[in-house]
Amino acid sequence: MQNGGNGRKEFLGIVCDLYIIAILAVLPLYTGGTYYLIGDSKYFIFRNVSLFCLGIWLLLTLGAGVWRVLTRRGWEWWKTTATGSSIVDIAMISYSVCVLLSALQSAYTKTAWLGYRDWYMGAVSQLFFVGIYFFISRNYSGSKISIYLGEAALLSVALLSFANRLGIDPLRLFAGYTERDWEYSHMLSTVGNINWLCGYMGVAIAFPLAGYLGSENKLRKVVLFCVSAAGMALLMLQGSDVGIALTAAAILICLLIGQLPLYRRHLKTFSQRGALLAAVTALLIGTIGQMMRLRGTIQAMPADSPLQGRLTWGGWWVISILFFFLCILMQVVPERILRLSMGAVSIVGMLSALGGAVWYLTGHPFTDSWGSSRGSLWAAAWRGFREAGWLQKLIGAGPDCFAEYIYRIMPSWEVSQIEGFWEGSIYANAHNEWLTLLVDVGVLGTAAYLGIFLGALKRYRGMLLAVFALVLYGVNSLVSFQQVLNAPVLFVALGLCEYRLRRENSAVVKND
C-alpha cells in the first residue's frame, strides 16, 4: 500500500503542475478569437479545468481516507492533519465556511452559487479559489516548468500589448473595430479590458519580480529582469490609473524591502536591482511613448488616461538616467551609509505618498463622479451594507450578489452617475473588493478574507513572492475587483508559499 500511496502522490503532482499551467499560462493567453465575451470564455475554461483537477484530487483523497478508516489509521491521519494546520489554512477554512453560510441563506440562490452573469464570482468560484490553495500546497511536485510557462505568458501579454499600442494587431482581435470604438482604446493583448489587465498583471508580475530580486542564477536573473521591466512598463502604458500605483508600489518594494530585518543582509543587492529595474522601466516607457507618437497611435490611449499627454515627455529618459546613476552610486557607497540613506528614502517616500494623496483628493473631491464614478458605487455599497438587517450584516446578501441586492433597494440611476459607454450598465461589484465583500459575505466573510491576507503576510513574510503578490493584489483591490484572471493567480502564489514552508519544516524535522 506504500507504493500505492507514492503512486497517488506522483500522479497528483502531475495533475497539480498541469493545473498551475492552466491558470498561469493558458488563461491569460486564451481568447477564443474575439474580445466579445472574452471574460466568459476564460471563466468557463477555469471552471472546467478546476472541476476536473480538484475533482480528481478530492476523489483520490476521499478514497485514501476511507482506506485509512478501514485499516484503522483514520484517527492517526486526522491528528496529523489537525496539528499540521497553519494560520493560513485556518483562515482559508473560515472563509469557506462564511461563503457557504452566506450562499445557503441568500435570497438570490442561483446567483449566490454560480455568480452574477458575465462575472461568475459566486460561492462555487470562491470555493475553487480556496481549493487551489490546498491542492497546490499539498500536492505541488516542485517542478519549475509551470512557473516558467506562466512568466513566459506574462511576457507574451506585455509584448502583444505594446504591439497593440503601436497600432499592430498580430492576432486580428481588433478586426471590426475602429479608432472611434471604446474597445480600440480599452482592450489590449489577450486579456481584454485594461482594468482586467491591471488585475492580472498586478499579481502575476509577483513571480518574475520575486525571482529577479532573489535569484542568484545569472541567466535566470537576466530573463526575469526583462520580464519584470516589460510588465511594469505595460502597467504604465495600458491606460488605467491603478497601473501607476501598482508600478510605484513594485519599485518601492524593490528599493525598500531591504530595510526589513528578514531581508537586511540583502539591502545593497535588492536596492541596486530595484534601481536598475526602475531605470529600464522608465527607459521603456519613454521609448515606446515616442514610438507611439511617431506612428500616430498616441490617441489609442483612453481619453481620461493621465499619461496620454506625458508619454512623449523626455522626462522619462531623465528619470531613467537618475535611476541608473542611483544604481551606480549604491555600488560604491558603504552599506552603513546606504542603510541610512534608504531609511531616509523610506520616510520621504511615505511623506510623498501622503502628500500626493492629499493633493489628489484636494483636486478631485470625493463625489459621485470620483474615480470614474467609483464614488457613487462606493456610496451605494456602504448604504446597502448599513440598511441591511443584522443577519445580512454578518453573513451578507450572498457571494457575488452585489447587483441583485443593491439594484433592488436603490434605483439604477442612483447607483452610478457614469455617462458614455457604460451609461445604463449594471455593476456587479463596487469596484472596491472590500466594500463588495461587505455587501456579499458580510462582516464575518470580510474578516475571514482579511485574515487570509494578514495570516499569509505573517507566515510567509520571508518569501518575496508572497510580499509582492499580497501587497500588489491589495493595492489593486482598493479600486478594482476580483475576477478570473487575478484571484486564481493569488491563490496559486499562496499555495506555492505554503508548499515551500511545509517542505522546509519537514526537512528540519527529518534532520532532527
Short mmCIF file of all heavy atoms in Angstrom, two decimals, residues 102-148:
data_model
loop_
_atom_site.label_atom_id
_atom_site.label_comp_id
_atom_site.label_asym_id
_atom_site.label_seq_id
_atom_site.Cartn_x
_atom_site.Cartn_y
_atom_site.Cartn_z
N SER A 102 -23.24 32.18 3.77
CA SER A 102 -23.82 33.29 3.02
C SER A 102 -24.65 32.78 1.84
O SER A 102 -25.76 33.27 1.59
CB SER A 102 -22.71 34.22 2.54
OG SER A 102 -23.24 35.32 1.84
N ALA A 103 -24.12 31.79 1.12
CA ALA A 103 -24.84 31.26 -0.04
C ALA A 103 -26.10 30.50 0.38
O ALA A 103 -27.15 30.61 -0.27
CB ALA A 103 -23.91 30.33 -0.83
N LEU A 104 -26.02 29.77 1.47
CA LEU A 104 -27.16 28.97 1.92
C LEU A 104 -28.33 29.83 2.37
O LEU A 104 -29.49 29.45 2.20
CB LEU A 104 -26.73 28.04 3.06
CG LEU A 104 -25.84 26.85 2.64
CD1 LEU A 104 -25.28 26.16 3.87
CD2 LEU A 104 -26.64 25.87 1.78
N GLN A 105 -28.04 31.00 2.94
CA GLN A 105 -29.13 31.85 3.42
C GLN A 105 -29.55 32.91 2.42
O GLN A 105 -30.50 33.65 2.66
CB GLN A 105 -28.73 32.51 4.75
CG GLN A 105 -27.60 33.55 4.64
CD GLN A 105 -28.05 34.90 4.11
OE1 GLN A 105 -29.11 35.39 4.51
NE2 GLN A 105 -27.25 35.49 3.21
N SER A 106 -28.86 33.00 1.29
CA SER A 106 -29.13 34.08 0.33
C SER A 106 -30.51 33.94 -0.31
O SER A 106 -30.97 32.84 -0.61
CB SER A 106 -28.05 34.07 -0.76
OG SER A 106 -28.33 35.05 -1.74
N ALA A 107 -31.13 35.10 -0.53
CA ALA A 107 -32.42 35.12 -1.23
C ALA A 107 -32.23 34.99 -2.73
O ALA A 107 -33.20 34.80 -3.47
CB ALA A 107 -33.14 36.43 -0.91
N TYR A 108 -30.97 35.09 -3.20
CA TYR A 108 -30.67 35.03 -4.64
C TYR A 108 -29.89 33.74 -4.90
O TYR A 108 -28.70 33.75 -5.22
CB TYR A 108 -29.87 36.25 -5.07
CG TYR A 108 -30.36 37.53 -4.43
CD1 TYR A 108 -29.68 38.09 -3.35
CD2 TYR A 108 -31.52 38.15 -4.89
CE1 TYR A 108 -30.13 39.25 -2.75
CE2 TYR A 108 -31.98 39.31 -4.29
CZ TYR A 108 -31.29 39.86 -3.21
OH TYR A 108 -31.74 41.00 -2.62
N THR A 109 -30.60 32.62 -4.78
CA THR A 109 -29.95 31.31 -4.71
C THR A 109 -29.01 31.02 -5.88
O THR A 109 -27.84 30.68 -5.68
CB THR A 109 -31.01 30.20 -4.64
OG1 THR A 109 -31.91 30.51 -3.57
CG2 THR A 109 -30.36 28.86 -4.38
N LYS A 110 -29.49 31.15 -7.10
CA LYS A 110 -28.67 30.80 -8.26
C LYS A 110 -27.45 31.70 -8.36
O LYS A 110 -26.32 31.23 -8.59
CB LYS A 110 -29.51 30.91 -9.54
CG LYS A 110 -28.73 30.51 -10.78
CD LYS A 110 -29.62 30.58 -12.03
CE LYS A 110 -28.82 30.20 -13.28
NZ LYS A 110 -29.65 30.28 -14.51
N THR A 111 -27.65 33.01 -8.19
CA THR A 111 -26.53 33.94 -8.26
C THR A 111 -25.53 33.67 -7.16
O THR A 111 -24.31 33.72 -7.38
CB THR A 111 -27.03 35.39 -8.17
OG1 THR A 111 -27.95 35.64 -9.24
CG2 THR A 111 -25.88 36.38 -8.26
N ALA A 112 -26.01 33.39 -5.95
CA ALA A 112 -25.12 33.17 -4.82
C ALA A 112 -24.17 32.00 -5.06
O ALA A 112 -23.02 32.02 -4.63
CB ALA A 112 -25.94 32.94 -3.55
N TRP A 113 -24.65 30.98 -5.76
CA TRP A 113 -23.81 29.81 -6.00
C TRP A 113 -22.98 29.94 -7.28
O TRP A 113 -21.79 29.65 -7.28
CB TRP A 113 -24.66 28.54 -6.06
CG TRP A 113 -25.17 28.13 -4.71
CD1 TRP A 113 -26.41 28.32 -4.20
CD2 TRP A 113 -24.41 27.49 -3.67
NE1 TRP A 113 -26.49 27.84 -2.91
CE2 TRP A 113 -25.28 27.32 -2.56
CE3 TRP A 113 -23.10 27.03 -3.58
CZ2 TRP A 113 -24.87 26.73 -1.38
CZ3 TRP A 113 -22.69 26.43 -2.39
CH2 TRP A 113 -23.56 26.29 -1.31
N LEU A 114 -23.60 30.38 -8.36
CA LEU A 114 -22.90 30.42 -9.65
C LEU A 114 -22.31 31.77 -9.99
O LEU A 114 -21.44 31.88 -10.86
CB LEU A 114 -23.85 29.98 -10.77
CG LEU A 114 -24.46 28.58 -10.61
CD1 LEU A 114 -25.37 28.27 -11.78
CD2 LEU A 114 -23.36 27.53 -10.48
N GLY A 115 -22.80 32.83 -9.33
CA GLY A 115 -22.29 34.16 -9.58
C GLY A 115 -23.15 34.96 -10.54
O GLY A 115 -24.00 34.41 -11.24
N TYR A 116 -22.95 36.27 -10.54
CA TYR A 116 -23.71 37.15 -11.41
C TYR A 116 -23.31 36.93 -12.86
O TYR A 116 -22.16 36.58 -13.15
CB TYR A 116 -23.46 38.61 -11.00
CG TYR A 116 -24.48 39.57 -11.55
CD1 TYR A 116 -25.78 39.60 -11.03
CD2 TYR A 116 -24.16 40.44 -12.59
CE1 TYR A 116 -26.73 40.48 -11.53
CE2 TYR A 116 -25.10 41.33 -13.09
CZ TYR A 116 -26.39 41.34 -12.56
OH TYR A 116 -27.32 42.20 -13.07
N ARG A 117 -24.24 37.15 -13.77
CA ARG A 117 -23.98 36.88 -15.19
C ARG A 117 -22.74 37.66 -15.68
O ARG A 117 -22.52 38.81 -15.31
CB ARG A 117 -25.19 37.24 -16.04
CG ARG A 117 -25.56 38.71 -16.06
CD ARG A 117 -26.76 38.98 -16.96
NE ARG A 117 -27.07 40.38 -17.07
CZ ARG A 117 -27.87 41.03 -16.24
NH1 ARG A 117 -28.44 40.39 -15.23
NH2 ARG A 117 -28.10 42.33 -16.42
N ASP A 118 -21.95 37.01 -16.50
CA ASP A 118 -20.72 37.56 -17.06
C ASP A 118 -19.63 37.80 -16.01
O ASP A 118 -18.61 38.41 -16.31
CB ASP A 118 -20.98 38.88 -17.81
CG ASP A 118 -21.96 38.70 -18.95
OD1 ASP A 118 -22.01 37.59 -19.50
OD2 ASP A 118 -22.69 39.66 -19.27
N TRP A 119 -19.87 37.36 -14.77
CA TRP A 119 -18.90 37.60 -13.71
C TRP A 119 -18.49 36.30 -13.01
O TRP A 119 -17.32 36.02 -12.82
CB TRP A 119 -19.47 38.60 -12.69
CG TRP A 119 -18.40 39.51 -12.19
CD1 TRP A 119 -17.78 39.48 -10.98
CD2 TRP A 119 -17.81 40.59 -12.90
NE1 TRP A 119 -16.83 40.47 -10.89
CE2 TRP A 119 -16.83 41.17 -12.07
CE3 TRP A 119 -18.01 41.12 -14.18
CZ2 TRP A 119 -16.05 42.25 -12.47
CZ3 TRP A 119 -17.24 42.20 -14.57
CH2 TRP A 119 -16.28 42.75 -13.73
N TYR A 120 -19.47 35.57 -12.52
CA TYR A 120 -19.29 34.21 -12.03
C TYR A 120 -18.39 34.10 -10.78
O TYR A 120 -17.67 33.13 -10.62
CB TYR A 120 -18.71 33.31 -13.14
CG TYR A 120 -19.44 33.44 -14.45
CD1 TYR A 120 -18.82 34.04 -15.55
CD2 TYR A 120 -20.74 32.98 -14.59
CE1 TYR A 120 -19.48 34.17 -16.76
CE2 TYR A 120 -21.42 33.11 -15.81
CZ TYR A 120 -20.79 33.71 -16.88
OH TYR A 120 -21.43 33.84 -18.07
N MET A 121 -18.47 35.08 -9.89
CA MET A 121 -17.66 35.04 -8.67
C MET A 121 -18.49 34.57 -7.47
O MET A 121 -18.29 35.03 -6.35
CB MET A 121 -17.05 36.41 -8.39
CG MET A 121 -15.98 36.83 -9.38
SD MET A 121 -14.48 35.82 -9.31
CE MET A 121 -14.65 34.84 -10.81
N GLY A 122 -19.44 33.66 -7.71
CA GLY A 122 -20.28 33.14 -6.63
C GLY A 122 -19.54 32.16 -5.74
O GLY A 122 -18.32 32.01 -5.80
N ALA A 123 -20.30 31.44 -4.92
CA ALA A 123 -19.72 30.53 -3.93
C ALA A 123 -18.88 29.44 -4.58
O ALA A 123 -17.84 29.05 -4.04
CB ALA A 123 -20.83 29.90 -3.09
N VAL A 124 -19.32 28.94 -5.74
CA VAL A 124 -18.56 27.89 -6.42
C VAL A 124 -17.15 28.37 -6.73
O VAL A 124 -16.16 27.68 -6.46
CB VAL A 124 -19.28 27.44 -7.71
CG1 VAL A 124 -18.39 26.51 -8.52
CG2 VAL A 124 -20.59 26.75 -7.37
N SER A 125 -17.03 29.57 -7.28
CA SER A 125 -15.71 30.12 -7.59
C SER A 125 -14.89 30.37 -6.34
O SER A 125 -13.68 30.09 -6.31
CB SER A 125 -15.84 31.41 -8.40
OG SER A 125 -16.39 31.16 -9.68
N GLN A 126 -15.53 30.90 -5.30
CA GLN A 126 -14.80 31.16 -4.05
C GLN A 126 -14.23 29.88 -3.47
O GLN A 126 -13.10 29.84 -2.97
CB GLN A 126 -15.72 31.85 -3.04
CG GLN A 126 -16.34 33.16 -3.51
CD GLN A 126 -15.32 34.18 -3.96
OE1 GLN A 126 -14.28 34.38 -3.34
NE2 GLN A 126 -15.60 34.82 -5.10
N LEU A 127 -15.00 28.80 -3.55
CA LEU A 127 -14.52 27.50 -3.05
C LEU A 127 -13.43 26.95 -3.95
O LEU A 127 -12.49 26.29 -3.48
CB LEU A 127 -15.69 26.51 -2.94
CG LEU A 127 -16.77 26.90 -1.92
CD1 LEU A 127 -17.92 25.89 -1.95
CD2 LEU A 127 -16.19 26.98 -0.51
N PHE A 128 -13.53 27.22 -5.25
CA PHE A 128 -12.43 26.85 -6.16
C PHE A 128 -11.13 27.54 -5.73
O PHE A 128 -10.06 26.91 -5.71
CB PHE A 128 -12.75 27.27 -7.60
CG PHE A 128 -13.66 26.32 -8.33
CD1 PHE A 128 -14.36 26.75 -9.45
CD2 PHE A 128 -13.80 25.00 -7.94
CE1 PHE A 128 -15.19 25.89 -10.15
CE2 PHE A 128 -14.62 24.12 -8.63
CZ PHE A 128 -15.32 24.57 -9.74
N PHE A 129 -11.21 28.83 -5.41
CA PHE A 129 -10.01 29.58 -5.02
C PHE A 129 -9.35 28.96 -3.80
O PHE A 129 -8.13 28.77 -3.75
CB PHE A 129 -10.35 31.05 -4.74
CG PHE A 129 -10.95 31.78 -5.93
CD1 PHE A 129 -11.78 32.88 -5.73
CD2 PHE A 129 -10.69 31.37 -7.22
CE1 PHE A 129 -12.34 33.54 -6.81
CE2 PHE A 129 -11.24 32.04 -8.32
CZ PHE A 129 -12.06 33.12 -8.11
N VAL A 130 -10.16 28.66 -2.80
CA VAL A 130 -9.63 28.02 -1.59
C VAL A 130 -9.07 26.64 -1.94
O VAL A 130 -8.01 26.23 -1.44
CB VAL A 130 -10.71 27.91 -0.50
CG1 VAL A 130 -10.20 27.12 0.70
CG2 VAL A 130 -11.16 29.31 -0.05
N GLY A 131 -9.77 25.92 -2.82
CA GLY A 131 -9.30 24.61 -3.25
C GLY A 131 -7.94 24.70 -3.94
O GLY A 131 -7.09 23.81 -3.77
N ILE A 132 -7.72 25.76 -4.72
CA ILE A 132 -6.42 25.96 -5.37
C ILE A 132 -5.31 25.97 -4.33
O ILE A 132 -4.28 25.30 -4.48
CB ILE A 132 -6.42 27.28 -6.17
CG1 ILE A 132 -7.32 27.17 -7.40
CG2 ILE A 132 -5.00 27.66 -6.59
CD1 ILE A 132 -7.54 28.49 -8.11
N TYR A 133 -5.54 26.73 -3.27
CA TYR A 133 -4.51 26.85 -2.22
C TYR A 133 -4.20 25.49 -1.60
O TYR A 133 -3.03 25.10 -1.50
CB TYR A 133 -5.00 27.84 -1.15
CG TYR A 133 -4.24 27.72 0.15
CD1 TYR A 133 -2.99 28.33 0.29
CD2 TYR A 133 -4.76 27.00 1.22
CE1 TYR A 133 -2.27 28.22 1.47
CE2 TYR A 133 -4.06 26.89 2.41
CZ TYR A 133 -2.82 27.49 2.53
OH TYR A 133 -2.12 27.37 3.70
N PHE A 134 -5.23 24.76 -1.18
CA PHE A 134 -4.99 23.48 -0.52
C PHE A 134 -4.42 22.44 -1.48
O PHE A 134 -3.53 21.66 -1.12
CB PHE A 134 -6.29 22.98 0.12
CG PHE A 134 -6.60 23.62 1.43
CD1 PHE A 134 -7.65 24.53 1.53
CD2 PHE A 134 -5.86 23.34 2.55
CE1 PHE A 134 -7.94 25.15 2.74
CE2 PHE A 134 -6.14 23.95 3.78
CZ PHE A 134 -7.18 24.86 3.87
N PHE A 135 -4.91 22.42 -2.71
CA PHE A 135 -4.43 21.45 -3.69
C PHE A 135 -2.94 21.64 -3.96
O PHE A 135 -2.14 20.70 -3.93
CB PHE A 135 -5.24 21.58 -4.98
CG PHE A 135 -4.86 20.60 -6.06
CD1 PHE A 135 -4.51 19.29 -5.76
CD2 PHE A 135 -4.86 21.00 -7.39
CE1 PHE A 135 -4.17 18.39 -6.77
CE2 PHE A 135 -4.53 20.11 -8.40
CZ PHE A 135 -4.17 18.80 -8.08
N ILE A 136 -2.54 22.89 -4.23
CA ILE A 136 -1.15 23.17 -4.56
C ILE A 136 -0.24 23.00 -3.35
O ILE A 136 0.85 22.41 -3.45
CB ILE A 136 -1.01 24.58 -5.16
CG1 ILE A 136 -1.70 24.63 -6.52
CG2 ILE A 136 0.46 24.99 -5.29
CD1 ILE A 136 -1.75 26.00 -7.14
N SER A 137 -0.66 23.48 -2.20
CA SER A 137 0.19 23.42 -1.01
C SER A 137 0.45 21.99 -0.56
O SER A 137 1.47 21.71 0.07
CB SER A 137 -0.43 24.22 0.14
OG SER A 137 -1.67 23.66 0.55
N ARG A 138 -0.44 21.06 -0.92
CA ARG A 138 -0.28 19.66 -0.51
C ARG A 138 0.23 18.75 -1.62
O ARG A 138 0.68 17.64 -1.33
CB ARG A 138 -1.60 19.11 -0.01
CG ARG A 138 -1.86 19.28 1.47
CD ARG A 138 -1.92 20.73 1.92
NE ARG A 138 -2.30 20.85 3.32
CZ ARG A 138 -2.47 21.99 3.95
NH1 ARG A 138 -2.30 23.13 3.29
NH2 ARG A 138 -2.79 22.02 5.23
N ASN A 139 0.16 19.21 -2.88
CA ASN A 139 0.45 18.28 -3.98
C ASN A 139 1.46 18.78 -5.01
O ASN A 139 1.79 18.03 -5.94
CB ASN A 139 -0.85 17.93 -4.70
CG ASN A 139 -1.83 17.21 -3.81
OD1 ASN A 139 -1.70 16.03 -3.51
ND2 ASN A 139 -2.85 17.95 -3.35
N TYR A 140 1.93 20.00 -4.89
CA TYR A 140 2.87 20.53 -5.88
C TYR A 140 4.11 19.63 -5.94
O TYR A 140 4.64 19.21 -4.92
CB TYR A 140 3.26 21.96 -5.50
CG TYR A 140 4.24 22.62 -6.42
CD1 TYR A 140 4.03 22.65 -7.79
CD2 TYR A 140 5.37 23.25 -5.92
CE1 TYR A 140 4.93 23.29 -8.64
CE2 TYR A 140 6.27 23.89 -6.76
CZ TYR A 140 6.05 23.90 -8.11
OH TYR A 140 6.94 24.53 -8.95
N SER A 141 4.58 19.37 -7.15
CA SER A 141 5.70 18.45 -7.34
C SER A 141 7.06 19.13 -7.17
O SER A 141 8.08 18.46 -7.07
CB SER A 141 5.63 17.83 -8.74
OG SER A 141 5.93 18.81 -9.73
N GLY A 142 7.06 20.46 -7.16
CA GLY A 142 8.32 21.18 -7.08
C GLY A 142 8.89 21.55 -8.45
O GLY A 142 9.92 22.21 -8.55
N SER A 143 8.21 21.14 -9.52
CA SER A 143 8.68 21.44 -10.87
C SER A 143 8.59 22.94 -11.15
O SER A 143 7.61 23.59 -10.80
CB SER A 143 7.84 20.67 -11.89
OG SER A 143 8.13 21.10 -13.20
N LYS A 144 9.63 23.48 -11.81
CA LYS A 144 9.67 24.90 -12.14
C LYS A 144 9.06 25.20 -13.51
O LYS A 144 8.85 26.37 -13.85
CB LYS A 144 11.11 25.41 -12.11
CG LYS A 144 11.82 25.23 -10.78
CD LYS A 144 11.18 26.07 -9.70
CE LYS A 144 11.95 25.96 -8.39
NZ LYS A 144 11.29 26.70 -7.28
N ILE A 145 8.81 24.17 -14.29
CA ILE A 145 8.33 24.39 -15.66
C ILE A 145 7.02 25.17 -15.68
O ILE A 145 6.84 26.09 -16.50
CB ILE A 145 8.16 23.04 -16.39
CG1 ILE A 145 9.51 22.35 -16.55
CG2 ILE A 145 7.49 23.24 -17.75
CD1 ILE A 145 9.43 20.97 -17.17
N SER A 146 6.10 24.84 -14.78
CA SER A 146 4.81 25.54 -14.74
C SER A 146 4.99 27.03 -14.44
O SER A 146 4.30 27.88 -15.01
CB SER A 146 3.88 24.90 -13.72
OG SER A 146 4.50 24.84 -12.45
N ILE A 147 5.94 27.35 -13.56
CA ILE A 147 6.21 28.75 -13.23
C ILE A 147 6.84 29.46 -14.42
O ILE A 147 6.48 30.60 -14.75
CB ILE A 147 7.14 28.86 -12.00
CG1 ILE A 147 6.61 27.99 -10.84
CG2 ILE A 147 7.29 30.31 -11.56
CD1 ILE A 147 5.23 28.34 -10.39
N TYR A 148 7.79 28.79 -15.07
CA TYR A 148 8.45 29.40 -16.24
C TYR A 148 7.43 29.69 -17.34
O TYR A 148 7.49 30.74 -18.00
CB TYR A 148 9.53 28.47 -16.79
CG TYR A 148 10.69 28.22 -15.85
CD1 TYR A 148 11.54 27.14 -16.03
CD2 TYR A 148 10.94 29.07 -14.76
CE1 TYR A 148 12.62 26.91 -15.18
CE2 TYR A 148 12.00 28.84 -13.90
CZ TYR A 148 12.83 27.76 -14.11
OH TYR A 148 13.88 27.53 -13.26
#
